Coordinates of all heavy atoms in Angstrom, one line a residue:
M660 N 11.8 11.0 -7.7 CA 11.3 11.8 -8.8 C 9.9 12.4 -8.5 O 9.1 11.7 -7.9 CB 11.2 11.0 -10.1 CG 10.8 11.8 -11.3 SD 11.2 11.0 -12.9 CE 10.4 9.5 -12.8
S661 N 9.7 13.6 -8.8 CA 8.5 14.3 -8.4 C 7.7 14.7 -9.7 O 8.3 15.2 -10.6 CB 8.8 15.5 -7.6 OG 7.6 16.1 -7.1
G662 N 6.4 14.5 -9.7 CA 5.6 14.9 -10.8 C 4.7 16.1 -10.5 O 5.3 17.1 -10.1
E663 N 3.4 15.9 -10.6 CA 2.5 17.0 -10.2 C 2.7 17.3 -8.7 O 3.3 16.5 -8.0 CB 1.1 16.7 -10.6 CG 0.9 16.5 -12.1 CD -0.5 15.9 -12.5 OE1 -1.4 16.0 -11.6 OE2 -0.6 15.5 -13.6
T664 N 2.2 18.4 -8.2 CA 2.4 18.8 -6.9 C 2.0 17.7 -5.9 O 0.9 17.1 -5.9 CB 1.5 20.0 -6.6 OG1 1.8 21.0 -7.5 CG2 1.8 20.5 -5.2
G665 N 3.0 17.3 -5.0 CA 2.7 16.3 -4.0 C 2.7 14.9 -4.5 O 2.4 14.0 -3.8
E666 N 3.1 14.8 -5.8 CA 3.0 13.4 -6.4 C 4.4 12.9 -6.6 O 5.3 13.6 -7.0 CB 2.3 13.6 -7.7 CG 1.8 12.3 -8.3 CD 1.1 12.5 -9.6 OE1 1.6 13.2 -10.5 OE2 0.0 12.0 -9.7
Y667 N 4.6 11.6 -6.2 CA 6.0 11.0 -6.3 C 5.9 9.7 -7.0 O 5.0 8.9 -6.8 CB 6.5 10.8 -4.9 CG 6.6 12.0 -4.1 CD1 5.5 12.5 -3.3 CD2 7.8 12.8 -4.1 CE1 5.6 13.7 -2.6 CE2 7.9 14.0 -3.4 CZ 6.8 14.4 -2.6 OH 6.9 15.6 -1.9
R668 N 6.9 9.4 -7.9 CA 7.0 8.1 -8.5 C 7.5 7.1 -7.5 O 8.6 7.3 -6.9 CB 8.0 8.2 -9.7 CG 8.0 6.9 -10.5 CD 9.0 6.8 -11.6 NE 9.0 5.5 -12.3 CZ 9.5 4.4 -11.8 NH1 10.2 4.4 -10.7 NH2 9.4 3.3 -12.5
V669 N 6.7 6.1 -7.3 CA 7.1 5.1 -6.2 C 7.4 3.7 -6.8 O 7.8 2.9 -6.0 CB 5.9 5.0 -5.2 CG1 5.9 6.3 -4.4 CG2 4.6 4.7 -5.8
G670 N 7.2 3.5 -8.1 CA 7.5 2.2 -8.5 C 7.1 1.9 -9.9 O 6.6 2.8 -10.7
S671 N 7.3 0.6 -10.3 CA 7.0 0.2 -11.7 C 5.8 -0.7 -11.7 O 5.7 -1.7 -10.9 CB 8.3 -0.6 -12.2 OG 7.9 -1.6 -13.0
L672 N 4.9 -0.5 -12.6 CA 3.7 -1.3 -12.8 C 4.1 -2.8 -13.0 O 3.6 -3.7 -12.5 CB 2.8 -0.8 -13.9 CG 1.6 -1.6 -14.2 CD1 0.7 -1.7 -12.9 CD2 0.8 -1.0 -15.4
A673 N 5.2 -3.0 -13.9 CA 5.6 -4.3 -14.2 C 6.1 -5.1 -13.0 O 5.8 -6.2 -12.8 CB 6.7 -4.2 -15.3
A674 N 6.8 -4.4 -12.1 CA 7.2 -5.0 -10.8 C 6.1 -5.4 -10.0 O 6.1 -6.5 -9.4 CB 8.2 -4.1 -10.1
V675 N 5.1 -4.5 -9.9 CA 3.9 -4.9 -9.0 C 3.1 -6.0 -9.6 O 2.7 -6.9 -8.9 CB 3.0 -3.6 -8.8 CG1 1.7 -4.0 -8.1 CG2 3.8 -2.6 -8.0
E676 N 3.0 -6.0 -11.0 CA 2.3 -7.1 -11.6 C 3.0 -8.4 -11.5 O 2.4 -9.5 -11.5 CB 2.0 -6.7 -13.1 CG 0.9 -5.6 -13.3 CD 0.7 -5.3 -14.7 OE1 1.6 -5.5 -15.6 OE2 -0.4 -4.7 -15.0
A677 N 4.3 -8.3 -11.4 CA 5.1 -9.5 -11.3 C 5.0 -10.1 -9.9 O 5.6 -11.2 -9.6 CB 6.6 -9.3 -11.7
G678 N 4.4 -9.4 -9.0 CA 4.2 -9.9 -7.6 C 5.4 -9.5 -6.7 O 5.5 -10.1 -5.6
D679 N 6.3 -8.7 -7.2 CA 7.4 -8.3 -6.3 C 6.9 -7.5 -5.1 O 5.9 -6.8 -5.1 CB 8.3 -7.3 -7.1 CG 9.1 -8.1 -8.2 OD1 8.9 -9.3 -8.3 OD2 9.7 -7.4 -9.0
T680 N 7.6 -7.8 -4.0 CA 7.3 -7.0 -2.8 C 7.8 -5.6 -3.0 O 9.0 -5.4 -3.3 CB 8.0 -7.6 -1.6 OG1 7.4 -8.9 -1.3 CG2 7.9 -6.7 -0.3
T681 N 6.9 -4.6 -2.9 CA 7.3 -3.3 -3.3 C 7.1 -2.3 -2.2 O 6.0 -2.2 -1.7 CB 6.5 -2.8 -4.5 OG1 6.6 -3.8 -5.6 CG2 7.0 -1.5 -5.0
L682 N 8.2 -1.7 -1.8 CA 8.1 -0.7 -0.7 C 9.0 0.5 -1.2 O 10.1 0.3 -1.5 CB 8.7 -1.2 0.6 CG 8.6 -0.3 1.8 CD1 7.1 -0.2 2.3 CD2 9.4 -0.9 3.0
A683 N 8.4 1.7 -1.2 CA 9.1 2.9 -1.6 C 9.2 3.8 -0.4 O 8.3 3.8 0.5 CB 8.4 3.6 -2.7
T684 N 10.2 4.6 -0.3 CA 10.4 5.5 0.7 C 10.5 6.9 0.1 O 11.3 7.2 -0.7 CB 11.6 5.3 1.6 OG1 11.5 3.9 2.1 CG2 11.8 6.2 2.7
I685 N 9.5 7.8 0.6 CA 9.5 9.2 0.1 C 9.8 10.0 1.4 O 8.9 10.1 2.3 CB 8.2 9.6 -0.5 CG1 7.7 8.6 -1.6 CG2 8.2 11.0 -1.0 CD1 8.6 8.6 -2.8
G686 N 11.0 10.6 1.4 CA 11.3 11.4 2.7 C 11.3 10.4 3.8 O 12.0 9.4 3.8
D687 N 10.5 10.6 4.8 CA 10.4 9.6 5.9 C 9.1 8.9 5.9 O 8.6 8.3 6.9 CB 10.6 10.3 7.3 CG 9.6 11.5 7.5 OD1 8.7 11.7 6.7 OD2 9.8 12.2 8.5
T688 N 8.4 8.8 4.7 CA 7.2 8.1 4.6 C 7.4 6.9 3.7 O 7.9 7.0 2.6 CB 6.1 9.0 3.9 OG1 5.9 10.2 4.7 CG2 4.8 8.2 3.7
D689 N 7.1 5.7 4.3 CA 7.1 4.4 3.5 C 5.8 4.2 2.9 O 4.7 4.4 3.5 CB 7.5 3.3 4.4 CG 8.9 3.3 4.9 OD1 9.7 3.9 4.2 OD2 9.2 2.7 5.9
V690 N 5.8 3.7 1.6 CA 4.6 3.4 0.9 C 4.7 2.0 0.3 O 5.7 1.6 -0.3 CB 4.4 4.4 -0.3 CG1 3.2 4.1 -1.2 CG2 4.3 5.8 0.2
A691 N 3.7 1.2 0.6 CA 3.6 -0.2 0.1 C 2.7 -0.2 -1.1 O 1.7 0.5 -1.1 CB 3.1 -1.1 1.2
L692 N 3.0 -1.0 -2.1 CA 2.2 -1.1 -3.3 C 1.7 -2.5 -3.5 O 2.5 -3.5 -3.3 CB 3.1 -0.8 -4.5 CG 3.7 0.6 -4.5 CD1 4.6 0.8 -5.7 CD2 2.6 1.7 -4.6
F693 N 0.5 -2.6 -3.9 CA -0.2 -3.9 -4.1 C -1.0 -3.9 -5.4 O -1.4 -2.8 -5.8 CB -1.2 -4.2 -2.9 CG -0.5 -4.2 -1.6 CD1 -0.6 -3.1 -0.8 CD2 0.1 -5.3 -1.1 CE1 0.0 -3.0 0.4 CE2 0.7 -5.3 0.1 CZ 0.7 -4.1 0.9
L694 N -1.2 -5.1 -5.9 CA -2.1 -5.2 -7.0 C -3.4 -5.9 -6.5 O -3.4 -6.9 -5.9 CB -1.5 -6.1 -8.1 CG -2.2 -6.0 -9.5 CD1 -2.0 -4.6 -10.0 CD2 -1.6 -7.0 -10.5
C695 N -4.5 -5.2 -6.6 CA -5.8 -5.6 -6.0 C -6.8 -5.6 -7.1 O -7.2 -4.5 -7.6 CB -6.2 -4.7 -4.9 SG -7.8 -5.0 -4.2
R696 N -7.2 -6.8 -7.6 CA -8.2 -6.9 -8.7 C -7.8 -6.0 -9.9 O -8.6 -5.3 -10.5 CB -9.6 -6.5 -8.2 CG -10.1 -7.5 -7.2 CD -11.5 -7.4 -6.9 NE -12.0 -8.5 -6.1 CZ -13.0 -8.5 -5.3 NH1 -13.8 -7.4 -5.2 NH2 -13.4 -9.5 -4.6
G697 N -6.5 -6.1 -10.2 CA -6.0 -5.4 -11.4 C -5.6 -3.9 -11.2 O -5.1 -3.3 -12.1
Q698 N -5.9 -3.4 -10.0 CA -5.6 -2.0 -9.7 C -4.5 -1.9 -8.8 O -4.4 -2.7 -7.8 CB -6.9 -1.3 -9.1 CG -8.1 -1.3 -10.0 CD -8.0 -0.5 -11.2 OE1 -7.5 0.6 -11.2 NE2 -8.4 -1.0 -12.4
V699 N -3.6 -0.9 -9.0 CA -2.6 -0.7 -8.0 C -3.1 0.1 -6.8 O -3.9 1.1 -7.0 CB -1.4 0.2 -8.7 CG1 -0.3 0.5 -7.6 CG2 -0.8 -0.6 -9.8
V700 N -2.8 -0.4 -5.6 CA -3.2 0.2 -4.4 C -2.0 0.6 -3.6 O -1.1 -0.3 -3.5 CB -4.1 -0.7 -3.6 CG1 -4.5 0.0 -2.2 CG2 -5.4 -1.0 -4.3
A701 N -1.9 1.8 -3.1 CA -0.8 2.3 -2.3 C -1.2 2.5 -0.9 O -2.3 3.1 -0.6 CB -0.2 3.5 -2.8
T702 N -0.5 1.9 0.1 CA -0.8 2.1 1.5 C 0.4 2.5 2.3 O 1.5 2.5 1.8 CB -1.4 0.8 2.1 OG1 -0.2 -0.1 2.3 CG2 -2.4 0.1 1.2
Q703 N 0.1 2.8 3.5 CA 1.3 3.1 4.4 C 2.2 1.8 4.4 O 1.7 0.7 4.2 CB 0.7 3.4 5.8 CG 0.0 2.2 6.5 CD -0.6 2.6 7.8 OE1 -1.7 3.1 7.9 NE2 0.1 2.4 8.9
G704 N 3.5 2.0 4.8 CA 4.4 0.9 4.6 C 4.5 0.0 5.8 O 5.0 -1.1 5.6
Q705 N 3.9 0.4 6.9 CA 4.0 -0.5 8.1 C 2.5 -0.8 8.5 O 1.7 0.1 8.4 CB 4.8 0.1 9.3 CG 6.3 0.0 9.1 CD 6.8 1.1 8.1 OE1 6.3 2.2 8.0 NE2 7.9 0.7 7.4
C706 N 2.3 -2.0 9.1 CA 1.0 -2.4 9.5 C 0.6 -1.5 10.7 O 1.4 -1.2 11.6 CB 1.1 -3.8 10.0 SG -0.5 -4.4 10.6
P707 N -0.7 -1.0 10.7 CA -1.1 -0.1 11.8 C -1.3 -0.9 13.1 O -1.5 -0.2 14.1 CB -2.5 0.4 11.3 CG -2.9 -0.5 10.2 CD -1.7 -1.1 9.6
H708 N -1.3 -2.2 13.1 CA -1.4 -2.9 14.3 C -0.1 -2.8 15.2 O -0.2 -2.3 16.3 CB -1.7 -4.4 14.1 CG -1.6 -5.3 15.3 ND1 -0.9 -6.4 15.4 CD2 -2.2 -5.1 16.5 CE1 -1.0 -6.9 16.6 NE2 -1.8 -6.1 17.3
A709 N 1.0 -3.2 14.6 CA 2.3 -3.2 15.4 C 3.5 -3.0 14.5 O 4.6 -3.5 14.8 CB 2.4 -4.4 16.3
Q710 N 3.2 -2.2 13.4 CA 4.3 -1.8 12.5 C 5.0 -2.9 11.8 O 6.2 -2.8 11.4 CB 5.4 -1.0 13.3 CG 4.8 0.1 14.1 CD 4.1 1.1 13.3 OE1 4.6 1.6 12.3 NE2 2.8 1.4 13.7
G711 N 4.3 -4.0 11.6 CA 4.8 -5.1 10.8 C 5.0 -4.7 9.3 O 4.5 -3.7 8.9
P712 N 5.8 -5.5 8.6 CA 6.1 -5.2 7.2 C 4.9 -5.5 6.3 O 4.8 -6.6 5.6 CB 7.3 -6.1 6.8 CG 7.1 -7.3 7.8 CD 6.4 -6.8 9.0
I713 N 3.9 -4.6 6.2 CA 2.7 -4.9 5.6 C 2.9 -5.1 4.1 O 2.1 -5.8 3.4 CB 1.7 -3.7 5.8 CG1 0.2 -4.2 5.5 CG2 2.0 -2.5 5.1 CD1 -0.4 -5.1 6.5
N714 N 4.0 -4.6 3.5 CA 4.2 -4.8 2.1 C 4.5 -6.3 1.8 O 4.4 -6.7 0.6 CB 5.4 -3.9 1.6 CG 6.7 -4.3 2.4 OD1 6.7 -4.2 3.6 ND2 7.7 -4.7 1.6
E715 N 4.8 -7.1 2.8 CA 5.1 -8.5 2.6 C 3.8 -9.3 2.8 O 3.9 -10.5 2.8 CB 6.2 -9.0 3.5 CG 7.5 -8.3 3.2 CD 8.6 -8.7 4.1 OE1 8.4 -9.6 5.0 OE2 9.7 -8.0 4.1
G716 N 2.7 -8.6 3.0 CA 1.4 -9.4 3.3 C 0.9 -10.0 2.0 O 1.3 -9.7 0.9
D717 N -0.1 -10.9 2.3 CA -0.7 -11.6 1.2 C -2.0 -10.9 0.8 O -2.7 -10.5 1.7 CB -1.0 -13.1 1.6 CG 0.2 -13.9 1.7 OD1 1.2 -13.7 0.9 OD2 0.2 -14.9 2.5
V718 N -2.2 -10.9 -0.5 CA -3.5 -10.3 -1.0 C -4.4 -11.4 -1.6 O -3.9 -12.2 -2.4 CB -3.2 -9.2 -2.1 CG1 -4.5 -8.7 -2.7 CG2 -2.3 -8.1 -1.6
D719 N -5.6 -11.4 -1.1 CA -6.6 -12.4 -1.7 C -7.9 -11.6 -1.9 O -8.5 -11.1 -1.0 CB -6.8 -13.5 -0.6 CG -7.8 -14.5 -1.2 OD1 -8.2 -14.5 -2.3 OD2 -8.2 -15.4 -0.4
G720 N -8.2 -11.4 -3.2 CA -9.3 -10.5 -3.5 C -8.9 -9.1 -3.1 O -7.9 -8.5 -3.5
T721 N -9.7 -8.5 -2.2 CA -9.4 -7.2 -1.7 C -8.8 -7.2 -0.3 O -8.6 -6.2 0.3 CB -10.7 -6.3 -1.7 OG1 -11.6 -6.8 -0.7 CG2 -11.3 -6.1 -3.0
T722 N -8.6 -8.4 0.2 CA -8.1 -8.6 1.6 C -6.6 -8.8 1.6 O -6.0 -9.6 1.0 CB -8.8 -9.8 2.3 OG1 -10.2 -9.7 2.2 CG2 -8.3 -10.0 3.7
L723 N -6.0 -7.9 2.4 CA -4.5 -8.0 2.7 C -4.3 -8.5 4.1 O -4.9 -8.0 5.0 CB -4.0 -6.5 2.6 CG -2.5 -6.4 3.1 CD1 -1.5 -7.1 2.2 CD2 -2.2 -4.9 3.1
T724 N -3.5 -9.5 4.2 CA -3.2 -10.1 5.5 C -1.8 -9.9 5.9 O -0.8 -10.2 5.1 CB -3.5 -11.6 5.5 OG1 -4.9 -11.8 5.1 CG2 -3.3 -12.2 6.8
C725 N -1.6 -9.3 7.0 CA -0.3 -8.9 7.5 C 0.5 -10.2 7.9 O -0.1 -11.1 8.6 CB -0.4 -8.0 8.7 SG 1.2 -7.6 9.5
P726 N 1.8 -10.3 7.6 CA 2.6 -11.5 7.9 C 2.9 -11.7 9.4 O 3.2 -12.8 9.8 CB 3.9 -11.3 7.1 CG 4.0 -9.8 6.9 CD 2.6 -9.3 6.8
W727 N 2.8 -10.6 10.2 CA 3.2 -10.8 11.6 C 2.1 -11.5 12.4 O 2.4 -12.5 13.0 CB 3.6 -9.4 12.1 CG 5.0 -9.1 11.9 CD1 5.8 -9.7 11.0 CD2 5.8 -8.0 12.5 NE1 7.1 -9.1 11.0 CE2 7.1 -8.1 11.9 CE3 5.5 -7.1 13.5 CZ2 8.1 -7.2 12.3 CZ3 6.5 -6.2 13.8 CH2 7.8 -6.3 13.3
H728 N 0.9 -10.9 12.5 CA -0.1 -11.5 13.4 C -1.3 -11.9 12.7 O -2.3 -12.2 13.3 CB -0.4 -10.5 14.6 CG 0.8 -9.9 15.2 ND1 1.2 -8.7 15.0 CD2 1.7 -10.5 16.1 CE1 2.3 -8.4 15.7 NE2 2.6 -9.5 16.4
G729 N -1.3 -11.8 11.3 CA -2.4 -12.2 10.5 C -3.6 -11.3 10.5 O -4.7 -11.7 10.1
W730 N -3.5 -10.1 11.0 CA -4.6 -9.2 10.9 C -4.9 -8.9 9.4 O -4.0 -8.8 8.6 CB -4.4 -7.9 11.7 CG -4.5 -8.1 13.2 CD1 -4.2 -9.2 13.9 CD2 -4.9 -7.1 14.1 NE1 -4.4 -9.0 15.2 CE2 -4.8 -7.7 15.4 CE3 -5.3 -5.8 14.0 CZ2 -5.1 -7.0 16.5 CZ3 -5.6 -5.1 15.2 CH2 -5.5 -5.7 16.4
S731 N -6.2 -8.6 9.1 CA -6.5 -8.3 7.7 C -7.1 -6.9 7.5 O -7.6 -6.3 8.5 CB -7.6 -9.3 7.3 OG -8.8 -9.2 8.1
F732 N -6.9 -6.4 6.3 CA -7.3 -5.1 6.0 C -7.9 -5.1 4.6 O -7.4 -5.9 3.7 CB -6.1 -4.1 6.0 CG -5.4 -4.0 7.3 CD1 -4.4 -4.9 7.7 CD2 -5.9 -3.1 8.3 CE1 -3.8 -4.8 8.9 CE2 -5.3 -3.1 9.5 CZ -4.2 -3.9 9.9
D733 N -9.0 -4.4 4.4 CA -9.6 -4.3 3.1 C -8.8 -3.2 2.3 O -8.8 -2.0 2.7 CB -11.1 -3.8 3.3 CG -11.8 -3.9 2.0 OD1 -11.2 -3.5 0.9 OD2 -13.0 -4.2 2.0
L734 N -8.2 -3.6 1.2 CA -7.4 -2.7 0.4 C -8.3 -1.6 -0.3 O -7.7 -0.6 -0.6 CB -6.6 -3.5 -0.7 CG -5.4 -4.2 -0.2 CD1 -4.8 -5.1 -1.3 CD2 -4.3 -3.2 0.3
E735 N -9.6 -1.8 -0.4 CA -10.4 -0.8 -1.0 C -10.8 0.3 -0.1 O -11.2 1.4 -0.5 CB -11.6 -1.4 -1.7 CG -11.2 -2.3 -2.9 CD -12.4 -2.8 -3.7 OE1 -13.5 -3.0 -3.1 OE2 -12.2 -3.1 -4.9
T736 N -10.9 -0.1 1.2 CA -11.3 0.9 2.2 C -10.3 1.2 3.3 O -10.4 2.3 4.0 CB -12.6 0.4 2.9 OG1 -12.3 -0.8 3.7 CG2 -13.7 0.1 1.9
G737 N -9.4 0.3 3.5 CA -8.4 0.4 4.6 C -8.9 -0.1 5.9 O -8.1 -0.2 6.9
A738 N -10.1 -0.6 5.9 CA -10.7 -1.1 7.2 C -10.0 -2.3 7.7 O -9.7 -3.2 6.9 CB -12.2 -1.3 7.0
S739 N -9.9 -2.4 9.0 CA -9.3 -3.6 9.6 C -10.4 -4.6 9.9 O -11.5 -4.2 10.3 CB -8.6 -3.2 10.9 OG -8.4 -4.4 11.7
G740 N -10.1 -5.9 9.7 CA -11.1 -6.9 10.0 C -11.1 -7.2 11.5 O -12.0 -7.9 12.0
E741 N -10.1 -6.7 12.3 CA -10.0 -7.1 13.7 C -10.3 -5.9 14.6 O -10.7 -6.1 15.8 CB -8.6 -7.6 14.0 CG -8.3 -9.0 13.6 CD -8.2 -9.1 12.1 OE1 -7.9 -8.1 11.4 OE2 -8.4 -10.3 11.6
D742 N -10.1 -4.7 14.2 CA -10.4 -3.5 15.0 C -11.0 -2.4 14.2 O -10.3 -1.8 13.4 CB -9.0 -3.1 15.6 CG -9.1 -1.9 16.6 OD1 -10.2 -1.3 16.6 OD2 -8.2 -1.7 17.3
E743 N -12.2 -2.1 14.5 CA -12.9 -1.1 13.7 C -12.3 0.3 13.9 O -12.6 1.2 13.0 CB -14.4 -1.1 14.0 CG -14.7 -0.6 15.5 CD -16.2 -0.7 15.8 OE1 -16.9 -1.5 15.1 OE2 -16.6 0.0 16.7
N744 N -11.5 0.5 14.9 CA -10.9 1.8 15.1 C -9.6 1.9 14.3 O -9.0 3.0 14.3 CB -10.7 2.1 16.5 CG -12.0 2.2 17.3 OD1 -12.9 2.8 16.8 ND2 -12.1 1.5 18.4
L745 N -9.1 0.9 13.7 CA -7.8 0.9 13.1 C -8.0 0.9 11.5 O -8.8 0.2 11.0 CB -7.1 -0.4 13.4 CG -5.6 -0.4 13.5 CD1 -5.1 0.6 14.5 CD2 -5.1 -1.8 13.8
M746 N -7.3 1.8 10.9 CA -7.4 1.9 9.5 C -6.0 1.8 8.8 O -5.1 2.4 9.4 CB -8.0 3.3 9.1 CG -9.5 3.5 9.4 SD -10.6 2.5 8.4 CE -10.5 3.4 6.8
L747 N -6.0 1.1 7.7 CA -4.7 1.1 6.9 C -4.8 2.3 6.0 O -5.7 2.5 5.2 CB -4.7 -0.2 6.1 CG -3.4 -0.3 5.2 CD1 -2.2 -0.6 6.1 CD2 -3.6 -1.5 4.3
R748 N -3.8 3.2 6.1 CA -3.9 4.4 5.4 C -3.6 4.2 3.9 O -2.7 3.4 3.6 CB -2.9 5.4 5.9 CG -2.9 6.7 5.1 CD -2.2 7.8 5.8 NE -2.4 9.1 5.1 CZ -1.8 10.2 5.4 NH1 -1.1 10.3 6.4 NH2 -2.1 11.3 4.7
R749 N -4.4 4.7 3.0 CA -4.3 4.5 1.6 C -3.9 5.9 0.9 O -4.4 6.9 1.4 CB -5.6 4.0 1.0 CG -6.0 2.6 1.6 CD -7.4 2.3 1.2 NE -7.6 1.9 -0.2 CZ -8.1 2.7 -1.1 NH1 -8.6 3.9 -0.8 NH2 -8.2 2.3 -2.3
Y750 N -3.2 5.8 -0.1 CA -2.8 7.0 -0.9 C -3.3 7.0 -2.3 O -3.3 5.9 -2.9 CB -1.2 7.2 -0.9 CG -0.6 7.3 0.4 CD1 0.1 6.2 1.0 CD2 -0.6 8.5 1.2 CE1 0.7 6.3 2.2 CE2 0.0 8.6 2.4 CZ 0.6 7.5 2.9 OH 1.2 7.6 4.1
P751 N -3.7 8.2 -2.8 CA -4.2 8.2 -4.2 C -3.1 7.8 -5.2 O -1.9 8.1 -5.0 CB -4.5 9.7 -4.4 CG -4.7 10.2 -3.1 CD -3.8 9.5 -2.2
V752 N -3.4 7.0 -6.2 CA -2.5 6.4 -7.1 C -2.8 6.8 -8.5 O -4.0 6.9 -8.9 CB -2.5 4.8 -7.0 CG1 -1.7 4.2 -8.2 CG2 -2.0 4.3 -5.7
R753 N -1.8 7.1 -9.3 CA -2.0 7.4 -10.7 C -0.9 6.5 -11.5 O 0.2 6.5 -11.1 CB -1.8 8.8 -11.1 CG -2.0 9.2 -12.5 CD -2.0 10.7 -12.7 NE -0.7 11.3 -12.5 CZ 0.3 11.4 -13.4 NH1 0.1 11.0 -14.6 NH2 1.5 12.0 -13.1
V754 N -1.4 5.8 -12.5 CA -0.5 4.9 -13.3 C -0.4 5.6 -14.6 O -1.4 5.9 -15.3 CB -1.0 3.5 -13.4 CG1 -0.1 2.7 -14.3 CG2 -1.1 2.8 -12.0
D755 N 0.9 5.8 -15.0 CA 1.2 6.4 -16.3 C 2.2 5.6 -17.0 O 3.4 5.6 -16.7 CB 1.7 7.9 -16.1 CG 2.0 8.6 -17.5 OD1 1.6 8.0 -18.5 OD2 2.6 9.7 -17.4
G756 N 1.8 4.7 -18.0 CA 2.7 3.8 -18.6 C 3.1 2.8 -17.5 O 2.3 2.2 -16.9
D757 N 4.4 2.7 -17.3 CA 4.9 1.8 -16.3 C 5.2 2.5 -15.0 O 5.5 1.8 -14.0 CB 6.3 1.1 -16.8 CG 6.7 0.0 -15.9 OD1 5.9 -0.9 -15.5 OD2 7.9 0.1 -15.4
D758 N 5.0 3.8 -15.0 CA 5.3 4.5 -13.8 C 4.1 4.6 -12.8 O 2.9 4.9 -13.3 CB 5.7 6.0 -14.1 CG 7.0 6.0 -14.9 OD1 7.9 5.2 -14.6 OD2 7.1 6.8 -15.8
I759 N 4.3 4.3 -11.5 CA 3.3 4.5 -10.5 C 3.6 5.7 -9.7 O 4.7 5.9 -9.2 CB 3.3 3.2 -9.6 CG1 3.0 2.0 -10.4 CG2 2.2 3.4 -8.5 CD1 3.1 0.7 -9.6
W760 N 2.6 6.6 -9.7 CA 2.7 7.9 -8.9 C 1.7 7.8 -7.8 O 0.6 7.4 -7.9 CB 2.4 9.0 -9.8 CG 3.3 9.2 -11.0 CD1 3.2 8.6 -12.2 CD2 4.5 10.0 -11.1 NE1 4.3 9.0 -13.0 CE2 5.0 9.9 -12.4 CE3 5.1 10.9 -10.2 CZ2 6.2 10.5 -12.8 CZ3 6.2 11.6 -10.6 CH2 6.7 11.4 -11.9
V761 N 2.2 8.3 -6.7 CA 1.4 8.4 -5.5 C 1.4 9.8 -4.9 O 2.4 10.5 -4.9 CB 1.9 7.4 -4.4 CG1 1.3 7.7 -3.0 CG2 1.7 6.0 -4.8
T762 N 0.2 10.3 -4.5 CA 0.1 11.6 -3.9 C 0.1 11.4 -2.4 O -0.7 10.7 -1.8 CB -1.2 12.3 -4.3 OG1 -1.2 12.4 -5.7 CG2 -1.3 13.7 -3.7
L763 N 1.1 12.0 -1.7 CA 1.2 11.9 -0.2 C 0.4 13.0 0.4 O 0.1 14.1 -0.1 CB 2.6 12.0 0.2 CG 3.5 10.9 -0.3 CD1 4.9 11.0 0.3 CD2 2.9 9.5 0.0
Ligands
FES957 S1 1.8 -6.0 12.9 FE1 0.5 -6.6 11.4 S2 -1.0 -7.9 12.4 FE2 0.4 -7.3 13.9

């Protein structure tokens, strides 16, 4: 479903709040959703280290830890704790009721 220009509905706030692993696919772009300090954060769907399933990572505060090799990323900035040249791509999010919209 498409909303404003470039904006896509990628999930349900209730599902993210319930802690469900959430991965949406828009065309050939995967988007992972997380709850970070009460805010929904959308990132690229695969870990920038070696394409691991970053949507299955653990969130502690603003730190997301990838399940494959344990690299960490700051959900507020996308910065990697292990490699300053590596960034986790983040997408703008808008929440409208239960609908989560992401701009690609
Ligand atoms: S693939 Fe995520 S830490 Fe290696």
Side-chain angles (χ1 to χ4, degrees):
M660 185 160 56
S661 184
E663 295 170 16
T664 305
E666 198 178 48
Y667 300 88
R668 184 185 181 280
V669 289
S671 146
L672 178 61
V675 173
E676 286 180 338
D679 292 352
T680 294
T681 305
L682 186 71
T684 302
I685 308 296
D687 54 9
T688 301
D689 289 335
V690 177
L692 300 174
F693 304 96
L694 199 62
C695 174
R696 295 191 169 159
Q698 301 291 316
V699 177
V700 175
T702 74
Q703 65 188 86
Q705 283 79 31
C706 179
H708 173 231
Q710 309 301 309
I713 198 75
N714 61 302
E715 296 176 10
D717 287 329
V718 177
D719 183 7
T721 65
T722 302
L723 168 65
T724 303
C725 178
W727 273 15
H728 312 103
W730 284 32
S731 61
F732 299 90
D733 187 325
L734 283 171
E735 291 186 335
T736 65
S739 164
E741 283 71 24
D742 183 344
E743 65 184 22
N744 295 314
L745 210 60
M746 292 289 287
L747 181 69
R748 182 166 186 181
R749 300 165 71 255
Y750 298 104
V752 171
R753 182 171 67 87
V754 177
D755 182 9
D757 187 52
D758 295 324
I759 300 171
W760 297 84
V761 167
T762 302
L763 298 185

